[in-house]
Amino acid sequence: MKTFIIMIILMLQTNVLPQNNFKEMDKLLNDAYKMDIFSGVVLIADKENVQYLKAFGNSDYDTQSPNVTDTKFNIGSIGKLFTQILITQLIQEGRLKQSDNLEKVYPIYKNENDKKITVKLLLTFSAGLGDYFRIDEFNQNPEKYIKIADLISAISKEPLLYEPGSSNEYSNSSYVVLGGIIEKITGKSYLEN
């Protein structure tokens, strides 16, 4: 939450700063870094020019490696938002329904679970799937799980945590399955969508 607040302040701050005078911006971001509520790269540009580009903090806290302006960040769960958008677009296009189950659109279990798990349950973390980050097979060799199909093979071997629709638990695996649905319906890799 604190990082979000900093970002709003940054957006407001850029509107009141004289163009190309970013001393106050530097102070604000350095102070935020010192309070341990911001670490990252800030870019402010207009249509033609980069007005401000500066890195703050560390890209790796364990090694104290500093961020640089071309640091590659793991976007983490922001990817779920893109997945939700793609699924919503497929629904709006009439190519998918929230009520569609895995048996119809993307069977992964080849049993009763495919009938019980719907797109809506996957979207709302209510499908009973766990988290592939907790699967030993994944953790032992994560480099083997680059494609969605690779992750699905590990996910489909895991038992459900609860009866689909009976509970709710955050699940990275649910969104991998949604990614698989997107790939199957569009005929393109997730990255191409």
Side-chain angles (χ1 to χ4, degrees):
M1 183 59 103
K2 292 178 182 176
T3 303
F4 180 70
I5 292 168
I6 292 297
M7 296 312 293
I8 291 172
I9 292 169
L10 287 175
M11 290 170 18
L12 295 172
Q13 189 73 17
T14 58
N15 291 331
V16 296
L17 286 173
Q19 192 158 356
N20 298 325
N21 181 358
F22 293 104
K23 289 180 184 174
E24 289 183 47
M25 176 79 69
D26 280 339
K27 181 179 179 345
L28 175 72
L29 292 167
N30 279 312
D31 288 349
Y33 169 66
K34 288 174 188 168
M35 291 187 294
D36 198 27
I37 58 173
F38 178 72
S39 182
V41 176
V42 176
L43 167 70
I44 299 172
D46 58 25
K47 290 182 181 179
E48 299 170 12
N49 301 305
V50 172
Q51 300 293 320
Y52 182 89
L53 177 61
K54 192 166 181 183
F56 298 85
N58 296 313
S59 62
D60 185 324
Y61 282 93
D62 293 334
T63 64
Q64 294 293 300
S65 303
N67 276 322
V68 293
T69 57
D70 62 350
T71 296
K72 301 217 180 346
F73 295 94
N74 181 342
I75 65 168
S77 290
I78 293 172
K80 289 179 182 64
L81 176 61
F82 296 114
T83 302
Q84 289 172 352
I85 290 168
L86 289 167
I87 291 290
T88 300
Q89 288 173 340
L90 291 172
I91 291 169
Q92 289 172 343
E93 292 168 5
R95 298 167 77 184
L96 183 67
K97 294 178 185 165
Q98 283 192 15
S99 60
D100 285 343
N101 62 26
L102 290 182
E103 182 179 57
K104 179 179 179 182
V105 294
Y106 192 68
I108 64 169
Y109 290 104
K110 315 292 190 264
N111 62 31
E112 242 355 80
N113 292 335
D114 285 333
K115 292 179 185 175
K116 297 176 185 178
I117 297 172
T118 64
V119 170
K120 183 177 182 177
L121 293 177
L122 292 167
L123 285 167
T124 59
F125 303 116
S126 303
L129 277 72
D131 193 328
Y132 68 88
F133 286 116
R134 295 185 188 140
I135 298 174
D136 289 337
E137 182 181 330
F138 171 80
N139 286 312
Q140 290 169 1
N141 296 297
E143 66 282 351
K144 289 174 50 179
Y145 297 92
I146 303 301
K147 295 180 182 177
I148 287 177
D150 300 331
L151 283 167
I152 295 290
S153 74
I155 291 166
S156 66
K157 294 174 189 170
E158 294 294 306
L160 295 180
L161 299 178
Y162 50 84
E163 183 69 19
S166 69
S167 189
N168 181 283
E169 184 172 323
Y170 189 84
S171 170
N172 286 304
S173 295
S174 289
Y175 273 72
V176 171
V177 174
L178 288 167
I181 292 170
I182 291 166
E183 287 188 342
K184 183 173 181 192
I185 291 174
T186 64
K188 300 178 194 172
S189 75
Y190 182 87
L191 295 175
E192 290 175 303
N193 282 289

